[in-house]
mmCIF file of all heavy atoms in Angstrom:
data_model
loop_
_atom_site.group_PDB
_atom_site.id
_atom_site.type_symbol
_atom_site.label_atom_id
_atom_site.label_comp_id
_atom_site.label_asym_id
_atom_site.label_seq_id
_atom_site.Cartn_x
_atom_site.Cartn_y
_atom_site.Cartn_z
ATOM 1 N N GLN A 1120 49.082 -26.370 -5.219
ATOM 2 C CA GLN A 1120 48.112 -26.276 -6.371
ATOM 3 C C GLN A 1120 48.854 -26.144 -7.703
ATOM 4 O O GLN A 1120 48.199 -26.226 -8.713
ATOM 5 C CB GLN A 1120 47.160 -25.046 -6.029
ATOM 6 C CG GLN A 1120 46.269 -25.272 -4.952
ATOM 7 C CD GLN A 1120 45.505 -24.113 -4.522
ATOM 8 O OE1 GLN A 1120 45.379 -23.127 -5.344
ATOM 9 N NE2 GLN A 1120 44.912 -24.007 -3.357
ATOM 10 N N SER A 1121 50.114 -25.838 -7.640
ATOM 11 C CA SER A 1121 50.887 -25.612 -8.870
ATOM 12 C C SER A 1121 51.339 -27.065 -9.379
ATOM 13 O O SER A 1121 51.373 -27.991 -8.580
ATOM 14 C CB SER A 1121 52.232 -24.832 -8.678
ATOM 15 O OG SER A 1121 53.046 -25.613 -7.747
ATOM 16 N N LYS A 1122 51.416 -27.174 -10.688
ATOM 17 C CA LYS A 1122 51.771 -28.462 -11.322
ATOM 18 C C LYS A 1122 53.223 -28.664 -11.187
ATOM 19 O O LYS A 1122 54.053 -27.840 -11.316
ATOM 20 C CB LYS A 1122 51.266 -28.459 -12.818
ATOM 21 C CG LYS A 1122 49.781 -28.459 -12.980
ATOM 22 C CD LYS A 1122 49.439 -28.514 -14.397
ATOM 23 C CE LYS A 1122 47.901 -28.519 -14.666
ATOM 24 N NZ LYS A 1122 47.580 -28.471 -16.122
ATOM 25 N N PRO A 1123 53.604 -30.002 -10.977
ATOM 26 C CA PRO A 1123 54.982 -30.439 -10.962
ATOM 27 C C PRO A 1123 55.562 -30.180 -12.352
ATOM 28 O O PRO A 1123 54.866 -30.093 -13.337
ATOM 29 C CB PRO A 1123 54.963 -31.882 -10.615
ATOM 30 C CG PRO A 1123 53.582 -32.072 -10.002
ATOM 31 C CD PRO A 1123 52.719 -31.135 -10.609
ATOM 32 N N ASP A 1124 56.922 -30.220 -12.433
ATOM 33 C CA ASP A 1124 57.613 -30.020 -13.705
ATOM 34 C C ASP A 1124 57.076 -31.026 -14.771
ATOM 35 O O ASP A 1124 56.927 -30.562 -15.960
ATOM 36 C CB ASP A 1124 59.113 -30.167 -13.484
ATOM 37 C CG ASP A 1124 59.683 -29.088 -12.636
ATOM 38 O OD1 ASP A 1124 58.970 -27.961 -12.570
ATOM 39 O OD2 ASP A 1124 60.674 -29.214 -12.085
ATOM 40 N N TYR A 1125 56.879 -32.203 -14.443
ATOM 41 C CA TYR A 1125 56.518 -33.189 -15.511
ATOM 42 C C TYR A 1125 55.071 -33.024 -15.967
ATOM 43 O O TYR A 1125 54.678 -33.718 -16.926
ATOM 44 C CB TYR A 1125 56.811 -34.614 -14.976
ATOM 45 C CG TYR A 1125 55.994 -35.148 -13.790
ATOM 46 C CD1 TYR A 1125 54.721 -35.708 -14.008
ATOM 47 C CD2 TYR A 1125 56.398 -35.007 -12.526
ATOM 48 C CE1 TYR A 1125 53.957 -36.134 -12.977
ATOM 49 C CE2 TYR A 1125 55.654 -35.417 -11.474
ATOM 50 C CZ TYR A 1125 54.474 -36.010 -11.689
ATOM 51 O OH TYR A 1125 53.771 -36.418 -10.600
ATOM 52 N N LEU A 1126 54.296 -32.182 -15.278
ATOM 53 C CA LEU A 1126 52.977 -31.810 -15.758
ATOM 54 C C LEU A 1126 52.828 -30.444 -16.387
ATOM 55 O O LEU A 1126 51.713 -30.076 -16.799
ATOM 56 C CB LEU A 1126 51.911 -31.983 -14.609
ATOM 57 C CG LEU A 1126 51.678 -33.292 -14.032
ATOM 58 C CD1 LEU A 1126 50.709 -33.213 -12.879
ATOM 59 C CD2 LEU A 1126 51.195 -34.285 -15.081
ATOM 60 N N GLN A 1127 53.998 -29.810 -16.541
ATOM 61 C CA GLN A 1127 53.967 -28.507 -17.122
ATOM 62 C C GLN A 1127 53.877 -28.634 -18.667
ATOM 63 O O GLN A 1127 54.796 -28.392 -19.374
ATOM 64 C CB GLN A 1127 55.207 -27.693 -16.734
ATOM 65 C CG GLN A 1127 55.229 -27.365 -15.255
ATOM 66 C CD GLN A 1127 54.166 -26.384 -14.837
ATOM 67 O OE1 GLN A 1127 53.543 -25.728 -15.606
ATOM 68 N NE2 GLN A 1127 54.097 -26.168 -13.477
ATOM 69 N N ASN A 1128 52.665 -28.940 -19.171
ATOM 70 C CA ASN A 1128 52.467 -29.164 -20.499
ATOM 71 C C ASN A 1128 51.016 -28.771 -20.884
ATOM 72 O O ASN A 1128 50.096 -29.131 -20.230
ATOM 73 C CB ASN A 1128 52.694 -30.594 -20.924
ATOM 74 C CG ASN A 1128 52.831 -30.920 -22.431
ATOM 75 O OD1 ASN A 1128 51.971 -30.416 -23.126
ATOM 76 N ND2 ASN A 1128 53.782 -31.669 -22.771
ATOM 77 N N LYS A 1129 50.869 -28.091 -22.032
ATOM 78 C CA LYS A 1129 49.490 -27.614 -22.404
ATOM 79 C C LYS A 1129 48.501 -28.767 -22.551
ATOM 80 O O LYS A 1129 47.332 -28.522 -22.500
ATOM 81 C CB LYS A 1129 49.667 -26.727 -23.692
ATOM 82 C CG LYS A 1129 50.329 -25.407 -23.459
ATOM 83 C CD LYS A 1129 50.301 -24.532 -24.678
ATOM 84 C CE LYS A 1129 51.024 -23.136 -24.429
ATOM 85 N NZ LYS A 1129 50.969 -22.352 -25.637
ATOM 86 N N LYS A 1130 48.918 -29.880 -22.961
ATOM 87 C CA LYS A 1130 48.027 -30.976 -23.221
ATOM 88 C C LYS A 1130 47.258 -31.416 -21.955
ATOM 89 O O LYS A 1130 46.323 -32.125 -22.011
ATOM 90 C CB LYS A 1130 48.751 -32.189 -23.858
ATOM 91 C CG LYS A 1130 49.659 -32.978 -22.971
ATOM 92 C CD LYS A 1130 50.289 -34.118 -23.591
ATOM 93 C CE LYS A 1130 51.242 -34.868 -22.707
ATOM 94 N NZ LYS A 1130 51.744 -36.105 -23.356
ATOM 95 N N PHE A 1131 47.827 -31.039 -20.773
ATOM 96 C CA PHE A 1131 47.200 -31.355 -19.597
ATOM 97 C C PHE A 1131 46.203 -30.279 -19.076
ATOM 98 O O PHE A 1131 45.620 -30.429 -18.017
ATOM 99 C CB PHE A 1131 48.214 -31.564 -18.421
ATOM 100 C CG PHE A 1131 49.112 -32.784 -18.667
ATOM 101 C CD1 PHE A 1131 50.417 -32.599 -18.870
ATOM 102 C CD2 PHE A 1131 48.518 -34.083 -18.761
ATOM 103 C CE1 PHE A 1131 51.195 -33.681 -19.085
ATOM 104 C CE2 PHE A 1131 49.371 -35.202 -18.971
ATOM 105 C CZ PHE A 1131 50.666 -34.988 -19.169
ATOM 106 N N GLU A 1132 46.081 -29.190 -19.876
ATOM 107 C CA GLU A 1132 45.093 -28.126 -19.508
ATOM 108 C C GLU A 1132 43.723 -28.483 -20.020
ATOM 109 O O GLU A 1132 43.539 -29.082 -21.051
ATOM 110 C CB GLU A 1132 45.531 -26.800 -20.144
ATOM 111 C CG GLU A 1132 46.878 -26.248 -19.656
ATOM 112 C CD GLU A 1132 46.776 -25.831 -18.199
ATOM 113 O OE1 GLU A 1132 45.640 -25.644 -17.693
ATOM 114 O OE2 GLU A 1132 47.766 -25.695 -17.509
ATOM 115 N N SER A 1133 42.710 -28.093 -19.295
ATOM 116 C CA SER A 1133 41.273 -28.198 -19.637
ATOM 117 C C SER A 1133 40.455 -27.120 -18.980
ATOM 118 O O SER A 1133 40.887 -26.542 -18.021
ATOM 119 C CB SER A 1133 40.741 -29.630 -19.218
ATOM 120 O OG SER A 1133 40.684 -29.706 -17.862
ATOM 121 N N LYS A 1134 39.377 -26.823 -19.659
ATOM 122 C CA LYS A 1134 38.457 -25.754 -18.990
ATOM 123 C C LYS A 1134 38.025 -26.145 -17.590
ATOM 124 O O LYS A 1134 38.046 -25.318 -16.713
ATOM 125 C CB LYS A 1134 37.252 -25.556 -19.889
ATOM 126 C CG LYS A 1134 37.496 -24.937 -21.269
ATOM 127 C CD LYS A 1134 36.244 -24.754 -22.051
ATOM 128 C CE LYS A 1134 36.589 -24.191 -23.367
ATOM 129 N NZ LYS A 1134 35.309 -23.980 -24.208
ATOM 130 N N GLN A 1135 37.765 -27.400 -17.405
ATOM 131 C CA GLN A 1135 37.300 -27.877 -16.090
ATOM 132 C C GLN A 1135 38.450 -27.663 -15.034
ATOM 133 O O GLN A 1135 38.225 -27.264 -13.920
ATOM 134 C CB GLN A 1135 36.832 -29.291 -16.073
ATOM 135 C CG GLN A 1135 36.358 -29.824 -14.715
ATOM 136 C CD GLN A 1135 35.848 -31.263 -14.847
ATOM 137 O OE1 GLN A 1135 35.783 -31.815 -15.908
ATOM 138 N NE2 GLN A 1135 35.508 -31.857 -13.725
ATOM 139 N N ALA A 1136 39.626 -28.060 -15.435
ATOM 140 C CA ALA A 1136 40.820 -27.849 -14.573
ATOM 141 C C ALA A 1136 41.042 -26.451 -14.204
ATOM 142 O O ALA A 1136 41.431 -26.150 -13.055
ATOM 143 C CB ALA A 1136 42.071 -28.532 -15.203
ATOM 144 N N SER A 1137 40.904 -25.586 -15.177
ATOM 145 C CA SER A 1137 41.169 -24.175 -14.957
ATOM 146 C C SER A 1137 40.062 -23.567 -13.922
ATOM 147 O O SER A 1137 40.411 -22.888 -13.074
ATOM 148 C CB SER A 1137 41.095 -23.360 -16.278
ATOM 149 O OG SER A 1137 42.016 -23.775 -17.148
#
Side-chain angles (χ1 to χ4, degrees):
Q1120 292 172 19
S1121 65
K1122 292 181 179 179
D1124 292 339
Y1125 64 88
L1126 289 180
Q1127 295 292 349
N1128 193 313
K1129 289 185 178 180
K1130 70 178 181 178
F1131 293 116
E1132 294 291 342
S1133 68
K1134 292 182 179 180
Q1135 182 178 354
S1137 299

